[in-house]
Amino acid sequence: MRTPFRRDVLAAIAVAVVGVLGLTSCADPGRDGAADAASISPDDPPGSVVVPTVPVASPTAHRIPSPSVRPTNKPSPKRSPARVQTSKAETPKPSGTIASRLHTIPASTRQLIVVYSSGYGTSVASFETFEKVNGVWRSKFGVMSARIGSKGFSDSHQEGIPTTPTGVYTIGSTMYGVRANPGVKYTYHQLVANDYWDENPSSSTYNSFVHGTDPGGYSEALWQTVPQYNYFAVINYNIPVKEATPARGSGIFLHVMGSGATAGCVSLTQSDLLRVLEWLDPGAAPRIVMAPSQNLGRY
């Protein structure tokens, strides 16, 4: 039977050995460090000390951290706010407008319309207006909703096919409408009975305004087409006419939107159209660009 004195002596010797060897207990991160200290068992007599069994760890397991990885209050030069790259700085932003990225527009043009869609097969399009200020293209009215031919855009439009021709075009010298002049800067003709647009490829006046007898073919009775022709501007596609078989098409207008797609023209709501027609100025040599968005780079 061990006496209390002998147990005390043995405990003291064990503590001394642990201290000399420099051993520590590996604390569980989820536990309080105090739970890893020597503890008293309720079954031991008063004054007993139980020294926990401590496994001998390899020297590398408790290596003192190198000063290079010790926590420090000094900011690392690589982490300095002045040198931190942000995602915004790393991501280039697109510059300019659609108009500024076009490269075939004459230098004299100071007003520009761009009509574009998501592809060739849709009649739904976007319509944007731009004006050149101090040599820089600026948006005028923002993006408007437009409709084009029921078969979308075409690079080879033909007479009688409901596609809208792609390309860059001027605006006709006269604007027209069933209703009175809303205040445009162009010459304006209010339509009357027997006003036609000649869309007969066999006619000598093909693809032009005529007054008198119906020229035949696909010719339109302009004064009877409402609300589409309440107001319209002529897009100078195939003007002057280029001889071709089949004919390259005629009567491409910018007019009031009806109930859906067009037969090849570009249409806007009447309120949007009036804003555009009143803004257009022949002195600014305006152009209109029409194409699917992925092909605008051609122009």
Side-chain angles (χ1 to χ4, degrees):
M1 178 176 179
R2 285 187 279 182
T3 65
F5 173 78
R6 186 179 178 184
R7 285 196 298 270
D8 292 344
V9 171
L10 291 174
I13 291 172
V15 170
V17 170
V18 171
V20 170
L21 292 177
L23 301 178
T24 62
S25 65
C26 297
D28 182 345
R31 295 168 59 191
D32 185 359
D36 293 305
S39 60
I40 304 298
S41 169
D43 297 326
D44 287 325
S48 298
V49 176
V50 178
V51 179
T53 301
V54 181
V56 178
S58 67
T60 58
H62 298 284
R63 184 177 295 165
I64 297 174
S66 168
S68 64
V69 297
R70 282 182 177 176
T72 175
N73 292 329
K74 295 181 180 180
S76 168
K78 292 184 179 180
R79 299 283 183 175
S80 171
R83 297 190 181 188
V84 173
Q85 295 283 337
T86 65
S87 59
K88 289 184 179 179
E90 293 169 356
T91 304
K93 295 181 179 179
S95 59
T97 62
I98 290 175
S100 67
R101 296 192 288 273
L102 301 178
H103 56 89
T104 66
I105 308 304
S108 59
T109 293
R110 291 182 287 108
Q111 291 182 329
L112 187 65
I113 296 169
V114 183
V115 184
Y116 57 94
S117 68
S118 60
Y120 280 94
T122 178
S123 68
V124 176
S126 296
F127 186 107
E128 292 195 53
T129 50
F130 303 91
E131 55 188 5
K132 190 180 287 186
V133 180
N134 296 325
V136 178
W137 287 111
R138 305 293 186 191
S139 176
K140 179 62 178 178
F141 298 123
V143 182
M144 301 176 183
S145 296
R147 298 300 297 270
I148 58 175
S150 60
K151 291 191 175 181
F153 281 118
S154 172
D155 295 333
S156 55
H157 176 67
Q158 297 176 13
E159 188 66 61
I161 306 300
T163 55
T164 297
T166 57
V168 181
Y169 306 102
T170 57
I171 301 298
S173 59
T174 301
M175 292 182 178
Y176 302 86
V178 173
R179 298 185 179 179
N181 186 351
V184 301
K185 300 177 180 68
Y186 280 73
T187 299
Y188 188 84
H189 174 76
Q190 186 171 2
L191 298 169
V192 296
N194 300 316
D195 281 347
Y196 293 90
W197 195 267
D198 186 345
E199 299 181 28
N200 181 359
S202 300
S203 170
S204 61
T205 54
Y206 177 58
N207 201 17
S208 67
F209 171 84
V210 295
H211 175 78
T213 306
D214 183 349
Y218 293 99
S219 298
E220 297 183 76
L222 301 175
W223 78 98
Q224 295 178 344
T225 308
V226 292
Q228 289 89 334
Y229 294 166
N230 283 349
Y231 311 97
F232 72 89
V234 178
I235 297 171
N236 282 337
Y237 167 75
N238 199 26
I239 297 177
V241 173
K242 293 182 180 179
E243 296 293 334
T245 303
R248 298 180 68 246
S250 60
I252 304 299
F253 306 144
L254 171 58
H255 64 68
V256 176
M257 188 181 293
S259 59
T262 72
C265 299
V266 177
S267 66
L268 294 172
T269 65
Q270 183 163 293
S271 59
D272 282 345
L273 179 67
L274 286 174
R275 285 196 295 167
V276 173
L277 296 187
E278 292 167 10
W279 165 69
L280 287 171
D281 184 348
R287 295 290 192 282
I288 182 169
V289 181
M290 306 189 294
S293 57
Q294 67 267 28
N295 288 342
L296 287 174
R298 295 175 177 175
Y299 310 109

